[in-house]
Amino acid sequence: ELLEQTGSAQTDASIAKLATTLHETEQKRRNCLREGPTPLLSFFVSDVLKCSTLPEARASPLEHASVSRFASFLSAWRTPKLAPLVNKRRSLHDERLRLMQEQLHLPVQQKNGKEVERITKELEELEEGIEQMSLTVDDFWEELAAVIELQSEMEAAGYRPDVVGLPGAPTLKSTYKDWVLNLNGPVQLLFGSPLRSAGQFLVDVLRDLGATHCQDLHVISVIGVQSSAKSTLMNYLFGCGFATSAGRCTRGLYCSLLQCEGRTLLIMDTEGLMSLEAEGGAVFDAQMALMAMACSHVVLINHKGELSRQLQDLLEICLYAMQHLRVCRIQPQLLFVLRDQMDRSHSVHEDALRLMRKHLSEASAKLELRLEDLVSLDSGSVFLLPSAFASDVNDCTGLERRWPTELFAQEAMRLRHKIFGCPTLGVHGLLDRRDAPDSAIEFSTLPDWCLHAMSVWSVLSRYGPNLLHYKAMQEIEAQKEFEDLCTRISQKRVTVDLAESCRQLLRSCAERLGKEASDQVDAECRSSLQALLDNCRTQCLGDLSRALEARRNKLPEAQHEEMKKKLQVPIEYQGDLARYTWSITLADALDRDQLKSLKVHFKAVVEELWRQQPTRAVAEEQAEALFEQEFAAFEQKCRERFEATAKSDKRLSEEVCLLFNHVLRQHRYSQEGLHALELVSPGMLLRAVSLFERDARSWAEEFLEISNMHQFQAYGVSLDTAPNERGMRGRTDPGNLLAGHVVQEMRSRLADLLSFPVQDSGELPSSESILESICKLNEGVLAMESRFLKKVGVRLRGGGVPFLNDAQLTLRHSLLKKLIAAEALRSSRQWQAIQNHRQQTEQEFMAMVRGRTSDATSAALLARSFVDSLIKDWLEERLVVVAGDIRARCLADMPDASRAAERAFQQSFVERNWEDVLEYVLDVNAYLHKMFSNLFEDRKSGIARAQRPLLVASLSGAFEALSGAAKRWSQQQKKASDLPNFQNFLRNLASREQAGAGHGQSPDVLGQGPYKLLSERFPVVADFRIEEPQVFAAEFAIRISEQLADQPLETLVSDRLEEATAKQQAQVWALVRGCSGLCPCCGSKCDKLDRHTTHRCSHHLLPAFNGWRVAGTCEAALDACKSSKNHDAPKRSDFSDHLFANLHEYLESEHPEWLPFPKEDRELLADSYLKAAWVNCRIPLLHRYDMVDCTPQDWIDAYEEPHRMLGLGALEEAEARLTPFGYIPEGVGEPQ
């Protein structure tokens, strides 16, 4: 937890202290092997288990009498010590409750929480004492298992520890196996606080048991509230040995192994729900219930009284978590066992069960699932039990006496028959419904089941709290409503209004930087920005308050505060983004100002050198040394500013985590796939190791498991085509196959999804792009699992949740690495710009020194700087505007992917352009790209034809006006002057130009006067002294002409415009191309917008356009995709010769993203457009796909155009036209 927090001196000190403690504890743990066991543990091994510590000794049979006697001794020792502790705990609970009730009616000033805190702390210490005193036989086995696992751990690390005073691991495992099977001893699968799963010791024991008892494994579990006699029921039904007592008798999860009529039974007893002692509350209850459902064939829900709303809420939350955590490999059968029922007629509880099933079905429907796909729950899923005991008052003694009833025994036997079945009575049991061929591999053997249970608990304990902290489905719905409300408010007030206000503020402040003092502009900008943030915060809270007041149900204060905090996050993020952008702009302005000041300073220095040193050589030597010294100081200031504005790796990590976590919180309820994703801290992200940086074998061991060995071996054989060293082809080793082939294929499939695209500017992506990348990665992982892993007999461990979180962490890590690289590139470019200024400034400075800066030299320097300012800066800005205009015109014709796909269909099929129809059916994506490119070129040529001469004229006019202004300025100067005077002259001309008195000058063709442009773009140069203005003006005009003679303005503008439009074309195409998914039947393009996991298209074609033939006759398939005939027709696999029975099976196996597929009752659904297109394009298609022509004669009579219908070579011509747009010709296609 400390490592995940933001670093600080106090945190680092705590981490160092804990690391030292951890190291010391680990050393003590390892020393335990050399120190030997405690006397009590030695007594347990030698006298209770009868195990010898000699290496060659074998395990002797375990005696039930010894174990029972030892357990009774422990109970006799434990009971008198626990009794006073339990009584004290009860009195402390009563005292704390009394104090809390008294303080409810007191004013806030008089409330004293110190006494309550003292009692609470004392209760915590008391619970620890009770925990220490609750010593059972299981604790001894737990310690022995820990010793054996430590020994194995150290041996794996290369040590050979000597275990003193204990038998070897095989002896202990054999004895524990005897304890589990022969003595029916319960096994504690989950233990400790917080709960953790058993280790490798138990897996090894169960593996040995599974090798000798290989019957079908059946797992039965029980859940229920605390003190509802769950353990007693399981002992009574199955003969288990679970501990029973009043209060909390079962801690964690126990299981018992039994043999029954050729079956291996695993009975699970869970800790009681709704317990006051257990930590976790509702989360713990849901974890226990979900653990039972994920690891059992049958789950008994033991409940005293009638079916309650609280129990229904718990089951709804379990269904909710089952969908997202995906830990259930089978469909568990639920059976409600209602205890202590006086009236056991089913009509009493049928309505309650029917109502519960209705509510659970509605909850499943909200999750877009069917209840039957999650659990088995029918009208017979309830069993009524009477009370196990009868009681009455003894007439002689007046005392109550209790006795077991025969009725309970009979009903318990009926319950056994309901579970196991009874052939003699013709009763089919719940376990008989189990379909063995469909059973998951986790339930095939005992060790597989144990590993599955450990994996399930690992997922539930780590990722479950994100989903299981809710108490009811209504709470989830309410939370979703509130999240949607926050998203709408944030979208309007922050994403739109605040973002635009920040952009306008930064734009206006940036314009003021060159005219006013930077410090004043900076202070006003930051204060105005804070005012915008405060105003936005006020508006958001106001919108939230008004929306909540309109609700009938009042929102709890805690949830209200949580929503306020969620609204703060996007505001703070927008503020940080604006501040960072402003700091970069301000730093650039300060660099320009300081550079100009430096040049003015150099000019004064040169004049002083001339005055003091008449010798030129001496002046040059001093000037070079002085330049190095002054510019080094300037560079140091720039470096300090760069460091102040640069973002460290830690800060970038914080920003990435802030943005990702905000997206997860904001969209967790609108995007169901985000529920199982963890929030990541900056520290965790900085230390994260990308999936691509991990070893393939460790990746396979951590995330993959074999689900179908037959499929997996077949996959290995298909890859193992070369003979091995023995000269025969063998199956690949599973570990090598997973690491060498499966992991590599996974990496290649997910490579693009795990890499986050970042702009060269290094700006953080928007929330929308973050959400899109997260959802695409989730969809990609699910698609990879269903389309690849499932087919090769492999699946992701833990329902894929651990891998999904690691993949999302890799996505964040990818963004962080690219932002770090972009920040380094930005710093490098800043430094390179300073070095470029250094070279130019040094040239100016040394020119002043060597030639005493003649007027010709000053004119050349100013001319070169002016040309760079107008062409590199102003022209680039204008070209961006022109390219944006082209972009807008294209988007007006193709605003989104759906409209683009519709336009493609209209232009080809509706307008009866048969060549276009062939291009459409060959590759609709390439055809759309071609159509878009032609549209863009058409819009570009129209706008460029009009704008190119205007830009050339504006530049020519600006340079002519500049030369003319220099000449007019020289004529007005009667004596020596300087460059600032010339700059002021241009500003005066611009002012008069704007006032309409510009000496006959009119605005240029772009609506802007040339003098305003020249005054704004006056370059940063030293304040050179101009001795002869006329000479300066003449030389200035010559130098400008020379600069422009190297490359004509027409060519320059054309080349730059082509570059700008090419960038815009790529960006617009990325917007309008949409989803690339194609209908597997007819090849039509998916036209769904935004993020989606299932495809859909508006215009389905005839399957014959895509080469589909009727099986057996090879006739062209002329029934549209949606027709019932096409749905029922067999379909051949895309990857093999396998023939699917119908369209649904084909899509479910190879294209599940197109399900559900639309269906119409009519067989033939072709409209006139499709009929006409087929009739006139059928000849090349029939030849390409070797189809038999079965075109109806009435189609030919109505639509054939003999002079326009296409011939045999039309397909090859269409392929040639599409090749420049991404189409890859496949030669002669194979019929389907």
Side-chain angles (χ1 to χ4, degrees):
E1 291 176 353
L2 288 172
L3 286 171
E4 294 176 3
Q5 296 176 3
T6 305
S8 64
Q10 184 177 2
T11 303
D12 294 341
S14 301
I15 291 174
K17 182 179 179 181
L18 284 176
T20 303
T21 306
L22 181 62
H23 177 72
E24 294 174 353
T25 306
E26 180 63 21
Q27 288 299 117
K28 292 179 181 178
R29 190 172 75 97
R30 296 190 174 190
N31 291 337
C32 288
L33 294 181
R34 291 193 295 269
E35 296 173 357
T38 62
L40 188 57
L41 188 61
S42 298
F43 171 79
F44 176 75
V45 171
S46 60
D47 291 63
V48 179
L49 303 183
K50 308 295 185 183
C51 291
S52 174
T53 59
L54 297 177
E56 66 277 3
R58 294 185 178 183
S60 58
L62 200 58
E63 298 179 2
H64 188 274
S66 299
V67 177
S68 299
R69 190 163 57 250
F70 182 69
S72 64
F73 290 161
L74 282 178
S75 178
W77 170 86
R78 181 177 62 239
T79 302
K81 291 180 171 55
L82 281 178
L85 297 179
V86 173
N87 292 333
K88 185 177 180 182
R89 180 178 65 182
R90 186 181 299 112
S91 62
L92 287 175
H93 274 297
D94 294 340
E95 179 66 16
R96 185 173 65 173
L97 180 61
R98 183 185 62 79
L99 289 174
M100 294 175 67
Q101 289 178 342
E102 288 178 355
Q103 294 190 10
L104 286 176
H105 308 287
L106 294 177
V108 179
Q109 298 80 1
Q110 298 181 13
K111 288 185 178 181
N112 183 12
K114 293 184 178 180
E115 186 65 18
V116 176
E117 292 177 1
R118 182 191 64 78
I119 296 177
T120 302
K121 185 176 181 181
E122 191 173 349
L123 275 171
E124 294 174 355
E125 296 173 353
L126 194 60
E127 288 292 345
E128 293 180 4
I130 293 176
E131 186 73 25
Q132 293 295 326
M133 288 295 176
S134 301
L135 194 63
T136 64
V137 177
D138 296 317
D139 296 308
F140 287 87
W141 278 118
E142 180 186 332
E143 184 158 349
L144 287 174
V147 172
I148 298 303
E149 290 171 2
L150 174 59
Q151 181 183 0
S152 302
E153 175 188 329
M154 296 185 66
E155 289 176 351
Y159 299 96
R160 290 191 174 275
D162 295 328
V163 184
V164 181
L166 287 179
T171 301
L172 286 176
K173 291 178 182 177
S174 177
T175 305
Y176 192 67
K177 183 171 64 173
D178 195 18
W179 156 271
V180 172
L181 192 62
N182 297 330
L183 298 189
N184 198 17
V187 177
Q188 192 170 16
L189 188 64
L190 297 179
F191 58 90
S193 180
L195 288 178
R196 61 187 183 277
S197 58
Q200 190 62 35
F201 179 82
L202 178 60
V203 177
D204 294 341
V205 171
L206 292 180
R207 182 181 293 112
D208 295 341
L209 286 172
T212 55
H213 300 81
C214 54
Q215 299 97 333
D216 287 344
L217 178 65
H218 298 264
V219 186
I220 304 172
S221 62
V222 63
I223 60 174
V225 298
Q226 181 176 315
S227 300
S228 61
K230 301 185 307 301
S231 303
T232 303
L233 177 64
M234 304 306 274
N235 293 342
Y236 204 96
L237 287 175
F238 309 111
C240 303
F242 297 127
T244 59
S245 68
R248 185 188 186 190
C249 58
T250 304
R251 302 191 179 200
L253 189 149
Y254 282 83
C255 58
S256 185
L257 193 64
L258 306 170
Q259 300 292 319
C260 178
E261 298 180 356
R263 295 168 169 169
T264 299
L265 295 182
L266 192 69
I267 312 300
M268 287 200 305
D269 185 20
T270 61
E271 184 170 345
L273 309 179
M274 306 172 196
S275 170
L276 295 176
E277 294 91 345
E279 298 179 359
V283 173
F284 176 81
D285 293 346
Q287 284 176 329
M288 282 289 105
L290 198 53
M291 181 74 179
M293 292 183 186
C295 301
S296 309
H297 294 102
V298 176
V299 181
L300 303 182
I301 304 176
N302 186 68
H303 191 69
K304 287 192 174 183
E306 299 179 354
L307 295 176
S308 63
R309 175 70 193 185
Q310 197 171 14
L311 185 59
Q312 175 189 312
D313 292 339
L314 176 63
L315 294 178
E316 287 182 356
I317 296 301
C318 289
L319 297 180
Y320 175 69
M322 287 170 68
Q323 179 199 18
H324 299 292
L325 297 180
R326 301 191 300 161
V327 291
C328 292
R329 299 300 188 188
I330 63 172
Q331 183 188 34
Q333 301 180 68
L334 305 186
L335 177 61
F336 292 93
V337 180
L338 305 184
R339 307 287 296 276
D340 300 344
Q341 300 295 317
M342 299 298 295
D343 184 357
R344 295 189 307 283
S345 59
H346 280 279
S347 59
V348 176
H349 298 280
E350 278 182 356
D351 292 339
L353 181 62
R354 191 180 301 110
L355 185 60
M356 173 172 283
R357 195 175 189 282
K358 174 178 176 293
H359 286 306
L360 293 179
S361 298
E362 291 174 352
S364 302
K366 293 176 182 177
L367 303 175
E368 299 181 355
L369 293 172
R370 295 171 64 247
L371 177 63
E372 293 76 12
D373 296 335
L374 298 175
V375 296
S376 176
L377 183 66
D378 53 33
S379 58
S381 298
V382 62
F383 194 90
L384 310 178
L385 278 178
S387 176
F389 296 91
S391 62
D392 203 349
V393 177
N394 191 314
D395 296 334
C396 299
T397 63
L399 300 176
E400 181 183 3
R401 60 190 183 95
R402 301 175 71 233
W403 63 93
T405 64
E406 182 64 25
L407 180 61
F408 181 83
Q410 293 176 0
E411 292 300 313
M413 181 58 68
R414 287 185 58 241
L415 179 57
R416 282 175 60 92
H417 290 165
K418 187 174 183 65
I419 296 173
F420 294 109
C422 184
T424 58
L425 298 177
V427 178
H428 295 284
L430 296 177
L431 293 179
D432 294 332
R433 302 180 190 177
R434 174 185 167 193
D435 190 4
D438 295 336
S439 296
I441 191 174
E442 289 86 357
F443 293 84
S444 59
T445 65
L446 280 172
D448 287 335
W449 177 88
C450 184
L451 291 175
H452 169 66
M454 294 176 181
S455 175
V456 169
W457 181 253
S458 175
V459 172
L460 291 179
S461 60
R462 179 172 179 180
Y463 307 106
N466 290 340
L467 298 165
L468 302 174
H469 64 277
Y470 303 105
K471 295 181 180 179
M473 202 68 183
Q474 291 86 345
E475 186 178 342
I476 297 177
E477 292 296 319
Q479 188 68 27
K480 183 177 181 180
E481 177 189 349
F482 299 146
E483 294 288 348
D484 292 342
L485 175 60
C486 289
T487 301
R488 291 196 303 270
I489 295 175
S490 175
Q491 183 73 22
K492 179 180 184 302
R493 295 295 185 183
V494 181
T495 308
V496 178
D497 298 345
L498 179 60
E500 180 60 29
S501 299
C502 289
R503 283 193 292 269
Q504 293 179 0
L505 174 63
L506 296 181
R507 193 182 303 117
S508 63
C509 292
E511 294 174 354
R512 294 171 53 194
L513 278 176
K515 305 172 185 177
E516 303 177 24
S518 300
D519 293 343
Q520 180 180 353
V521 177
D522 180 37
E524 293 181 4
C525 180
R526 293 183 183 277
S527 62
S528 300
L529 177 61
Q530 188 60 46
L532 287 176
L533 298 178
D534 294 340
N535 182 51
C536 179
R537 188 177 295 108
T538 303
Q539 291 176 339
C540 288
L541 295 180
D543 292 346
L544 177 63
S545 299
R546 286 188 291 273
L548 294 180
E549 288 174 0
R551 297 181 78 254
R552 279 187 268 178
N553 299 329
K554 187 177 180 182
L555 188 69
E557 188 63 29
Q559 203 165 11
H560 193 181
E561 292 298 323
E562 182 183 355
M563 294 181 68
K564 289 181 180 179
K565 292 178 181 178
K566 288 185 177 181
L567 287 176
Q568 297 278 9
V569 174
I571 298 174
E572 293 173 358
Y573 169 72
Q574 190 66 45
D576 291 340
L577 183 62
R579 293 187 189 96
Y580 176 70
T581 305
W582 171 247
S583 64
I584 298 298
T585 305
L586 181 63
D588 293 341
L590 290 175
D591 290 342
R592 289 194 300 270
D593 293 344
Q594 291 200 3
L595 183 61
K596 184 172 183 179
S597 301
L598 185 66
K599 291 184 177 183
V600 174
H601 171 67
F602 282 152
K603 176 178 177 294
V605 170
V606 169
E607 292 175 349
E608 182 64 21
L609 285 174
W610 287 339
R611 188 180 63 80
Q612 295 180 359
Q613 300 290 342
T615 306
R616 174 178 173 180
V618 177
E620 286 189 16
E621 292 176 1
Q622 293 181 352
E624 290 176 355
L626 181 63
F627 178 83
E628 292 293 335
Q629 176 183 351
E630 294 292 336
F631 209 89
F634 172 71
E635 287 179 335
Q636 180 61 32
K637 292 181 180 179
C638 292
R639 187 179 291 108
E640 292 174 357
R641 281 198 303 276
F642 294 164
E643 292 176 355
T645 57
K647 295 182 179 179
S648 63
D649 294 358
K650 180 179 177 182
R651 180 177 176 185
L652 288 172
S653 176
E654 291 173 352
E655 291 183 352
V656 170
C657 291
L658 174 68
L659 187 55
F660 267 87
N661 293 344
H662 168 63
V663 169
L664 288 180
R665 291 190 186 99
Q666 193 172 37
H667 299 278
R668 178 164 283 167
Y669 295 89
S670 59
Q671 300 289 335
E672 296 292 339
L674 308 185
H675 277 288
L677 300 184
E678 289 183 304
L679 303 181
V680 178
S681 66
M684 182 187 300
L685 181 58
L686 283 174
R687 298 190 312 275
V689 178
S690 168
L691 282 176
F692 294 107
E693 298 173 0
R694 295 192 187 182
D695 177 69
R697 185 168 291 275
S698 65
W699 188 353
E701 292 174 354
E702 185 175 356
F703 299 118
L704 300 180
E705 60 185 3
I706 299 173
S707 59
N708 189 314
M709 184 57 72
H710 177 71
Q711 285 183 331
F712 184 70
Q713 290 175 345
Y715 174 67
V717 170
S718 67
L719 294 174
D720 189 18
T721 56
N724 57 20
E725 295 179 357
R726 298 181 181 179
M728 57 187 296
R729 285 154 63 171
R731 295 175 180 174
T732 309
D733 174 69
N736 293 334
L737 181 57
L738 285 174
H741 294 278
V742 177
V743 170
Q744 301 304 327
E745 180 66 19
M746 291 174 65
R747 283 176 171 171
S748 64
R749 288 172 179 259
L750 297 178
D752 294 338
L753 297 175
L754 290 172
S755 179
F756 203 101
V758 179
Q759 299 178 355
D760 294 337
S761 61
E763 294 182 2
L764 278 171
S766 64
S767 300
E768 290 76 13
S769 60
I770 292 282
L771 179 61
E772 182 178 3
S773 297
I774 291 176
C775 293
K776 281 186 176 180
L777 179 56
N778 281 0
E779 295 166 8
V781 171
L782 294 177
M784 178 196 66
E785 190 173 14
S786 62
R787 300 176 194 173
F788 170 63
L789 294 181
K790 184 178 180 180
K791 294 181 179 180
V792 300
V794 179
R795 66 168 169 239
L796 297 173
R797 290 184 183 273
V801 177
F803 178 79
L804 201 59
N805 276 277
D806 270 63
Q808 292 290 347
L809 184 61
T810 299
L811 181 65
R812 294 168 172 81
H813 194 257
S814 168
L815 175 58
L816 176 62
K817 288 177 64 177
K818 291 185 177 181
L819 290 177
I820 292 174
E823 189 67 21
L825 180 61
R826 187 184 68 84
S827 300
S828 175
R829 288 175 177 173
Q830 283 183 322
W831 188 250
Q832 186 60 41
I834 294 298
Q835 298 307 307
N836 294 338
H837 284 308
R838 175 192 178 102
Q839 183 180 3
Q840 181 181 353
T841 305
E842 186 175 10
Q843 291 176 357
E844 295 179 13
F845 181 57
M846 297 311 297
M848 286 189 291
V849 173
R850 295 190 184 99
R852 295 185 177 269
T853 319
S854 64
D855 293 339
T857 303
S858 301
L861 292 173
L862 182 63
R864 183 172 63 249
S865 300
F866 237 126
V867 171
D868 289 343
S869 176
L870 290 177
I871 292 179
K872 291 184 179 180
D873 298 335
W874 178 82
L875 180 60
E876 293 296 332
E877 294 174 4
R878 292 300 308 171
L879 290 176
V880 169
V881 175
V882 174
D885 190 17
I886 299 174
R887 170 195 178 106
R889 299 284 181 88
C890 287
L891 289 177
D893 295 322
M894 289 185 176
D896 53 44
S898 179
R899 302 278 185 86
E902 178 65 26
R903 185 185 178 100
F905 183 81
Q906 294 288 333
Q907 184 169 309
S908 54
F909 284 86
V910 177
E911 296 179 11
R912 301 197 174 195
N913 295 318
W914 308 136
E915 291 83 1
D916 286 19
V917 167
L918 278 189
E919 295 175 7
Y920 187 104
V921 300
L922 278 174
D923 188 343
V924 63
N925 287 307
Y927 173 67
L928 182 61
H929 193 186
K930 173 195 168 186
M931 190 177 69
F932 164 77
S933 299
N934 293 338
L935 175 66
F936 192 90
E937 286 296 325
D938 180 61
R939 300 295 182 267
K940 184 179 78 173
S941 61
I943 296 177
R945 191 183 306 113
Q947 291 293 331
R948 189 183 297 111
L950 297 182
L951 292 171
V952 173
S954 294
L955 275 178
S956 300
F959 286 122
E960 290 177 5
L962 181 60
S963 300
K967 183 177 181 180
R968 290 167 58 187
W969 171 74
S970 65
Q971 293 173 353
Q972 292 183 6
Q973 304 300 314
K974 303 302 183 183
K975 56 182 180 179
S977 185
D978 53 21
L979 285 185
N981 188 280
F982 179 46
Q983 184 177 10
N984 291 331
F985 180 76
L986 288 176
R987 289 174 179 169
N988 293 333
L989 290 178
S991 300
R992 289 187 294 179
E993 183 180 61
Q994 283 186 312
H999 296 282
Q1001 296 286 342
S1002 60
D1004 68 4
V1005 289
L1006 292 180
Q1008 182 183 21
Y1011 297 119
K1012 184 176 186 298
L1013 172 64
L1014 295 173
S1015 63
E1016 292 176 349
R1017 301 288 172 171
F1018 199 93
V1020 178
V1021 294
D1023 298 341
F1024 293 127
R1025 178 131 182 112
I1026 308 299
E1027 299 295 340
E1028 298 182 18
Q1030 291 78 11
V1031 174
F1032 170 84
E1035 187 67 22
F1036 183 65
I1038 294 172
R1039 295 293 185 179
I1040 288 179
S1041 300
E1042 291 176 352
Q1043 291 282 328
L1044 299 179
D1046 295 338
Q1047 186 176 13
L1049 288 179
E1050 293 81 358
T1051 305
L1052 176 68
V1053 171
S1054 297
D1055 293 345
R1056 299 288 178 86
L1057 181 59
E1058 194 67 29
E1059 294 175 4
T1061 54
K1063 292 181 180 178
Q1064 288 291 343
Q1065 184 175 2
Q1067 294 176 3
V1068 177
W1069 170 240
L1071 291 175
V1072 302
R1073 66 183 176 185
C1075 176
S1076 59
L1078 301 178
C1079 173
C1081 285
C1082 66
S1084 297
K1085 180 180 176 62
C1086 171
D1087 53 14
K1088 291 183 74 173
L1089 302 177
D1090 301 325
R1091 296 168 297 275
H1092 55 275
T1093 56
T1094 58
H1095 296 312
R1096 179 210 65 200
C1097 60
S1098 302
H1099 298 288
H1100 282 281
L1101 310 180
L1102 305 177
F1105 280 116
N1106 203 24
W1108 284 95
R1109 309 180 303 180
V1110 178
T1113 64
C1114 294
E1115 294 180 344
L1118 298 182
D1119 292 285
C1121 293
K1122 298 186 290 184
S1123 66
S1124 58
K1125 187 175 180 180
N1126 182 61
H1127 273 261
D1128 298 336
K1131 297 289 184 289
R1132 191 172 301 279
S1133 169
D1134 297 341
F1135 311 104
S1136 66
D1137 292 334
H1138 177 71
L1139 198 66
F1140 294 98
N1142 51 52
L1143 177 63
H1144 182 80
E1145 289 187 9
Y1146 164 69
L1147 294 178
E1148 188 176 39
S1149 175
E1150 300 190 353
H1151 303 282
E1153 65 277 8
W1154 282 92
L1155 290 175
F1157 202 81
K1159 183 177 181 180
E1160 298 287 346
D1161 293 335
R1162 292 172 293 165
E1163 292 186 356
L1164 207 58
L1165 298 174
D1167 53 25
S1168 60
Y1169 303 126
L1170 297 181
K1171 293 177 182 177
W1174 172 253
V1175 167
N1176 291 282
C1177 300
R1178 71 183 189 279
I1179 294 177
L1181 292 171
L1182 291 170
H1183 181 265
R1184 167 64 63 90
Y1185 298 113
D1186 193 20
M1187 297 182 289
V1188 175
D1189 191 2
C1190 61
T1191 308
Q1193 186 61 39
D1194 58 331
W1195 291 17
I1196 298 175
D1197 296 340
Y1199 301 107
E1200 187 175 71
E1201 301 177 8
H1203 301 292
R1204 294 185 62 233
M1205 64 183 301
L1206 303 180
L1208 289 179
L1211 269 175
E1212 288 72 15
E1213 296 174 0
E1215 289 177 336
R1217 292 193 298 271
L1218 288 181
T1219 300
F1221 303 99
Y1223 174 74
I1224 302 176
E1226 300 178 358
V1228 178
E1230 295 185 1
Q1232 304 202 49

